[in-house]
Amino acid sequence: MKMKKQILFIIVALFLVSLNLRMSIASISPVLENIRNDLELSNGMVSLLTSIPVICMGFFAFFATRVSARFGLEKTIATCLLLIGIATAFRAFTNSAITLLITAFLIGIGIAISGPLVSGYIKQKFPNRIGMMVGVYSVGMGIGASLSAGLMIPLQKQLNDSWQLALASWSIFAVIGLLFWYPMVKKSEFVKNSTKATIQLPFKNKNVWSFTLIFGLQAGMFYCISTWLAPIAQSMGFSGEQSGTLITLFTIIQMIFSFLIPSLADVYKNEKAWLMGSTLFVLIGLLCIVFHIVNPWLATILIGIGLGGLFPLALALPLNAVSSSSEASSWTSMMQGFGYMLGGVIPFIAGLTRDYIAYEKQVFVLMIILCMVLFIALLRWRGDKRVNQ
């Protein structure tokens, strides 16, 4: 019974940590137009509020295993959570684009280093329940994104119409996460070992590059939707509250299926089929919006189902391909490193298309192209084979 309680506490702690890994990014979208108008920014410039943390999530992911080897996995995750909380809270004092971009940069560093380490922690503690625990991890991020996106407009109104205070208020969840994660730090049995620091990223492994392309394309599509769905919905006639609700619907659906699909994939083991099926849902949803086949609400549900499956399935690829937690962190660091850098550039490109192409659905057309590229990449990938570094 005591062991079950300990496992349950670890699961809750992981959930609360993951809750913080998307909040500060998702909360931007509902107030993007307010920020753009108040700070007099172009669409390309304001898109950097999403692109910068995602690119940071890529670049600094390369340092995750090295930092973890020096300070310990649990302690490093706690430090990253503290950094995310401080940077988010600092948004209360934002009065310029530079200040806001600096907070985005710091948040990106915190997410970048903690993300691969959470995957390594899952591999270490739950080697036989990877799909389920990646689902818990994904659901936590989904709930965080859903709460921050859906409640931003009401919260802003309650805080004297201040988007700065509304953005900063999400730092409270970092405090809660730290309180629950601190016992993991106390119980950790980390002993600094110089051999851990010699773990190399598998740059020469073709499978990791396949994982990276898959991960990067799904990340780019997710952050395009997270950044631009609300502003595009407003340009199509939705009110601020309706566009916020649309983002909430997307994140709730994405959250539900980010747990359901990888859990099913644990039972019916065919990674390639699940990935292709999820991609197809995204493609159908995008086509429905561009060609007015169904209303945007139903199309958003289809996109949420597909992206809900793609993230945890892509995240689990290296976990299922290696045998140790150190390898899992190493492979995930490389996959997320280059993958997030690719994914971070895509919302910026989408912002530029909105500046220079006079068509309200140009972002969705860009995502359709990305879907097609991802589908081709999956067709070429052999899949479902355990590989060695």
Side-chain angles (χ1 to χ4, degrees):
M1 182 62 70
K2 185 178 180 180
M3 181 64 69
K4 288 183 177 179
K5 287 183 178 180
Q6 290 177 345
I7 292 172
L8 181 60
F9 189 86
I10 293 173
I11 292 173
V12 171
L14 279 169
F15 172 81
L16 291 172
V17 169
S18 63
L19 201 68
N20 289 275
L21 301 186
R22 292 296 179 271
M23 272 187 164
S24 300
I25 299 175
S27 58
I28 290 286
S29 183
V31 293
L32 201 64
E33 288 299 304
N34 301 61
I35 296 171
R36 188 172 68 86
N37 293 329
D38 289 354
L39 302 182
E40 299 179 349
L41 304 175
S42 66
N43 285 303
M45 180 63 73
V46 79
S47 69
L48 291 176
L49 294 175
T50 297
S51 289
I52 284 178
V54 179
I55 291 171
C56 286
M57 285 160 60
F59 179 77
F60 288 97
F62 293 124
F63 302 96
T65 52
R66 187 173 299 178
V67 175
S68 176
R70 184 176 179 85
F71 299 105
L73 193 151
E74 293 86 353
K75 186 182 291 185
T76 304
I77 292 174
T79 304
C80 290
L81 199 57
L82 180 63
L83 179 61
I84 292 169
I86 292 172
T88 303
F90 196 72
R91 286 179 165 176
F93 309 101
T94 298
N95 53 18
S96 68
I98 294 297
T99 307
L100 199 55
L101 292 175
I102 289 171
T103 65
F105 177 75
L106 295 174
I107 288 166
I109 293 174
I111 297 172
I113 296 176
S114 59
L117 299 185
V118 170
S119 295
Y121 192 80
I122 289 171
K123 179 70 176 180
Q124 181 185 95
K125 296 292 185 180
F126 304 94
N128 299 318
R129 291 290 185 270
I130 288 174
M132 185 189 75
M133 289 308 301
V134 167
V136 171
Y137 177 34
S138 301
V139 167
M141 289 190 288
I143 290 177
S146 178
L147 284 173
S148 59
L151 297 178
M152 267 301 294
I153 300 298
L155 191 59
Q156 181 185 5
K157 290 181 177 178
Q158 290 295 318
L159 296 171
N160 298 319
D161 209 33
S162 170
W163 53 262
Q164 292 95 333
L165 289 176
L167 288 174
S169 64
W170 302 110
S171 60
I172 187 65
F173 286 91
V175 176
I176 296 171
L178 276 169
L179 290 175
F180 276 79
W181 189 253
Y182 184 69
M184 306 300 110
V185 178
K186 293 284 287 184
K187 292 179 182 178
S188 66
E189 298 178 353
F190 171 72
V191 177
K192 186 175 178 180
N193 189 336
S194 59
T195 60
K196 291 186 178 182
T198 64
I199 296 172
Q200 299 295 314
L201 298 178
F203 290 112
K204 296 181 180 180
N205 193 299
K206 293 181 180 179
N207 290 282
V208 186
W209 286 111
S210 295
F211 297 166
T212 299
L213 179 60
I214 293 167
F215 189 86
L217 289 171
Q218 67 81 28
M221 290 189 289
F222 173 80
Y223 287 108
C224 265
I225 285 289
S226 297
T227 305
W228 292 111
L229 181 58
I232 291 174
Q234 290 174 30
S235 70
M236 293 166 61
F238 282 51
S239 67
E241 287 81 0
Q242 286 176 322
S243 63
T245 303
L246 192 66
I247 284 285
T248 302
L249 174 67
F250 164 72
T251 52
I252 289 174
I253 296 298
Q254 191 257 350
M255 171 190 67
I256 292 170
F257 283 88
S258 68
F259 180 80
L260 181 61
I261 290 177
S263 295
L264 290 171
D266 260 357
V267 179
Y268 306 101
K269 298 181 182 296
N270 191 325
E271 291 172 303
K272 184 173 181 176
W274 286 106
L275 283 163
M276 292 183 71
S278 297
T279 304
L280 191 60
F281 267 96
V282 179
L283 181 59
I284 292 171
L286 292 169
L287 291 170
C288 285
I289 291 179
V290 171
F291 295 104
H292 304 283
I293 298 172
V294 298
N295 68 59
W297 297 95
L298 181 56
T300 298
I301 290 173
L302 294 174
I303 296 170
I305 291 171
L307 289 176
L310 280 174
F311 174 72
L313 290 171
L315 193 66
L317 286 172
L319 305 188
N320 290 323
V322 299
S323 56
S324 70
S325 62
S326 60
E327 282 183 313
S329 293
S330 176
W331 282 53
T332 304
S333 292
M334 180 173 162
M335 181 185 75
Q336 292 190 13
F338 287 110
Y340 274 131
M341 283 194 279
L342 171 61
V345 170
I346 291 171
F348 177 66
I349 294 173
L352 293 178
T353 64
R354 281 181 62 78
D355 281 328
Y356 295 107
I357 299 177
Y359 173 58
E360 65 183 14
K361 297 176 183 176
Q362 68 282 86
V363 173
F364 296 119
V365 174
L366 173 63
M367 288 184 63
I368 288 172
I369 296 171
L370 295 176
C371 259
M372 299 299 294
V373 173
L374 178 56
F375 211 83
I376 292 170
L378 288 169
L379 284 172
R380 291 174 60 85
W381 177 53
R382 288 178 295 175
D384 301 324
K385 292 187 178 181
R386 180 171 288 274
V387 289
N388 297 311
Q389 187 171 340

